[in-house]
Amino acid sequence: MTVTADLAITLDGYVAGPNVTLDNPGGDGAAPIFHWIHTLASWRERQGMTGGVENRDSELVREWFDATGAVVMGRTMYDTGEEFWGDNPPFRTPVFVLTNRPRPTLVKEGGTTFTFVTDGIHSALDRAKAAAGDRAVDIAGGADTVRQYLGAGLIDELQLHVVPTLLGAGLRLFDGQGAVRGALEPVRVVHTPLATHLKYRFGK
């Protein structure tokens, strides 16, 4: 089973702007990080919307959606996304939320469930693997959650959608704390006007 992480990131290494709050989930000035994906047909389909652009970017996002059988995320990501996702979240798979605040499992429309895991990253990953079947487990974020899994050597593939913008401040994915382990094997590079899509596999 493959454990993945798939994130949009600025050219200077930020995955969110400063001052992330429930009312400002992307942080200040972060719209360019996420705007490109909102135009894509595959992303819009997952939000229950119509229209959008069918292009190489959309194909890559659809590939990621289709390959994912379960998701792990941090509590901040859940809290900032809960209202936006509504009753029919885009995941359509079991989601395991890392938290120190217990909460009953939530069953949503479209196949999404949110299970709140209080006993650590390994437990959440084990439960996600059991739920994913023959598909991948995606470590969705935020940055601190992804760094924990990277630091523990638990992510097999990392895909970064590098957006051609400089943010200058905010939340970095790679913060100099030794989160990434070992060598990275390039798997694929796809360049489009919207982003450069870099996919790597971690050496064992």
Side-chain angles (χ1 to χ4, degrees), residues 160-177:
L160 300 175
H161 309 280
V162 183
V163 181
T165 191
L166 300 172
L167 198 57
L171 187 61
R172 288 186 180 276
L173 179 59
F174 306 113
D175 65 354
Q177 296 181 4

Side-chain angles (χ1 to χ4, degrees), residues 70-74 94-98 113-117 124 127-128 131:
V71 171
V72 176
M73 70 175 60
V95 179
F96 298 87
V97 182
L98 291 163
T113 57
F114 292 102
T115 300
F116 298 85
V117 181
R127 296 174 74 168

Side-chain angles (χ1 to χ4, degrees), residues 48-158:
M49 304 164 68
T50 59
V53 180
E54 280 290 5
N55 55 17
R56 186 65 174 123
D57 306 276
S58 185
E59 291 173 0
L60 293 172
V61 170
R62 182 176 287 109
E63 175 187 273
W64 167 47
F65 283 148
D66 291 346
T68 300
V71 171
V72 176
M73 70 175 60
R75 185 61 185 258
T76 298
M77 181 176 178
Y78 173 80
D79 286 345
T80 55
E82 180 179 15
E83 183 176 347
F84 175 76
W85 296 326
D87 292 329
N88 189 9
F91 305 101
R92 302 183 187 176
T93 60
V95 179
F96 298 87
V97 182
L98 291 163
T99 184
N100 56 13
R101 291 174 283 150
R103 183 174 176 179
T105 296
L106 300 178
V107 179
K108 297 287 188 174
E109 299 173 14
T112 301
T113 57
F114 292 102
T115 300
F116 298 85
V117 181
T118 59
D119 51 350
I121 65 171
H122 291 86
S123 175
L125 183 57
D126 287 345
R127 296 174 74 168
K129 285 181 174 180
D134 59 356
R135 295 195 290 167
V137 173
D138 189 68
I139 310 301
D144 180 65
T145 296
V146 175
R147 283 197 298 265
Q148 288 184 63
Y149 280 97
L150 285 171
L154 297 173
I155 292 178
D156 302 307
E157 291 184 354
L158 176 66

Side-chain angles (χ1 to χ4, degrees), residues 8-10 14-17 26 29-37 161 163 165 167:
I9 189 169
T10 67
Y14 295 99
V15 294
I33 304 175
F34 309 106
H35 176 72
W36 68 277
I37 199 172
H161 309 280
V163 181
T165 191
L167 198 57

